[in-house]
Amino acid sequence: MDQDTGEHDGERGEQRSGRRTVVITGASDGIGAAAAGELTRRGHDVVVVGRSEEKTAAVAGPLGARRFTADFARLDDVRRLARELQESVPRIDVLVNNAGGIFDRRELTPDGHERTWQVNHLGPYLLTRLLLDGLLAHGAAVVSTSSVAARIGRLSPETLVDGRRWSPQRAYADTKLANLLFTRGLDGRYGEQGLAAAAFHPGGVATNFASGTSTALRFLYRTRPGRRLMRTPEQGAETLVWLADGTAGRDWRSGGYYENRRPARVPSRAADDALADALWQRSAELVGLTPGRPAG
């Protein structure tokens, strides 16, 4: 998976040239909303997914975009979202897994999983797996919002999942590492069938991120001095837009991790194929799916 993409990337790029249908989760605010606006301006058909009906409608309405709502803290919501997308959006060229957050307290979801883990990893994993047949049929790309925090993630096959003492920062870092490992897993299993996958770090962006936590991050994101040091949502969305608007094999390499529209340093744990496979297997168990195609 570290090798440059081959001939199948050229075929994939040809299939996905021109106007694309781009589904963006976490698009009711922040970089998701900014990317939805920019991709619409570039002529793409954007589908806006958010947790809040009111906020999602406020983003989708001016764009003339289709909209759906789902709370990733409820896996049944994710399953319903997948069904609705399959029924209403016959072709998805790019799926952007952008929904996520950092949370102040350790809480279990109605599904029995730690909230950060489910919202940031299990929900996107489940949605992608449920849409996988259609994504493969159209040579689609899956783009995941990760973070530089992945560098301090400490997932291992022995600690999947929740094997360390919990803190908001640890939980978040582990899920951002999981996003990179999931990208690697997608490329390893389905890259030869024409599916592309990439992850990116948006940088520190002045959004509502971390508003639900009392950690130091909240004061960075929610105070005027802190926000002055940060990027605008539009700046944070630039790499997302570049990936969704670009072509794997020409503009970027499938399985890669990007920052500022350039390859970023990959944490050593994120390059571990055994860990990527263990995460894939465990995630499938937790959401009630079979593992599917083994890594190539």
Side-chain angles (χ1 to χ4, degrees):
M1 287 176 282
D2 284 329
Q3 301 300 315
D4 288 341
T5 47
E7 185 174 320
H8 64 274
D9 283 322
E11 296 169 357
R12 175 168 52 212
E14 184 178 346
Q15 291 168 357
R16 294 200 349 263
S17 62
R19 183 182 179 92
R20 297 171 185 169
T21 298
V22 184
V23 175
I24 308 176
T25 70
S28 61
D29 201 353
I31 66 170
E38 178 59 27
L39 287 166
T40 299
R41 284 188 285 274
R42 295 188 183 202
H44 298 299
D45 179 15
V46 174
V47 180
V48 176
V49 179
R51 184 167 61 92
S52 162
E53 173 63 36
E54 181 179 3
K55 291 175 66 177
T56 304
V59 172
L63 302 178
R66 287 171 285 182
R67 71 179 192 270
F68 299 85
T69 58
D71 183 351
F72 277 38
R74 296 179 177 273
L75 293 182
D76 278 347
D77 263 28
V78 178
R79 296 182 181 101
R80 173 184 51 77
L81 171 63
R83 291 194 299 271
E84 291 175 350
L85 289 172
Q86 288 169 330
E87 293 168 359
S88 303
V89 187
R91 178 188 182 105
I92 297 174
D93 297 295
V94 185
L95 171 63
V96 180
N97 287 318
N98 176 64
I102 184 170
F103 306 103
D104 196 31
R105 297 183 303 277
R106 187 186 188 282
E107 296 178 350
L108 296 183
T109 68
D111 303 285
H113 308 301
E114 191 274 320
R115 185 183 180 191
T116 318
W117 183 252
Q118 179 165 321
V119 172
N120 292 4
H121 170 64
L122 286 181
Y125 174 90
L126 176 60
L127 179 63
T128 306
R129 288 288 311 275
L130 292 176
L131 296 176
L132 191 57
D133 286 348
L135 297 173
L136 287 169
H138 297 111
V142 178
V143 176
S144 297
T145 304
S146 184
S147 167
V148 69
R151 294 177 184 173
I152 60 172
R154 291 294 181 266
L155 291 176
S156 70
E158 294 74 31
T159 61
L160 293 172
V161 178
D162 221 16
R164 298 189 295 151
R165 188 176 63 186
W166 191 91
S167 74
Q169 295 90 340
R170 286 172 175 170
Y172 180 74
D174 281 354
T175 60
K176 295 297 100 179
L177 174 57
N179 296 152
L180 297 184
L181 290 165
F182 179 47
T183 295
R184 191 172 186 85
L186 278 170
D187 181 61
R189 284 170 168 76
Y190 302 105
E192 291 186 358
Q193 295 183 52
L195 186 74
F200 75 101
H201 171 49
V205 183
T207 68
N208 289 325
F209 177 81
S211 61
T213 175
S214 59
T215 67
L217 283 174
R218 180 179 182 180
F219 299 102
L220 178 63
Y221 279 84
R222 301 294 289 172
T223 63
R224 185 173 296 176
R227 291 171 77 88
R228 285 175 179 167
L229 299 173
M230 307 183 83
R231 296 180 172 185
T232 66
E234 290 72 23
Q235 291 170 329
E238 286 178 355
T239 301
L240 189 166
V241 171
W242 173 71
L243 289 166
D245 192 45
T247 299
R250 184 190 69 192
D251 304 307
W252 50 270
R253 180 180 61 81
S254 182
Y257 172 47
Y258 295 88
E259 181 179 1
N260 295 325
R261 295 181 292 181
R262 297 184 182 90
R265 182 170 69 86
V266 178
S268 59
R269 290 176 187 266
D272 185 336
D273 286 335
L275 180 56
D277 190 60
L279 176 65
W280 186 284
Q281 301 277 343
R282 180 62 174 147
S283 300
E285 294 172 8
L286 291 173
V287 300
L289 297 175
T290 60
R293 178 186 171 90

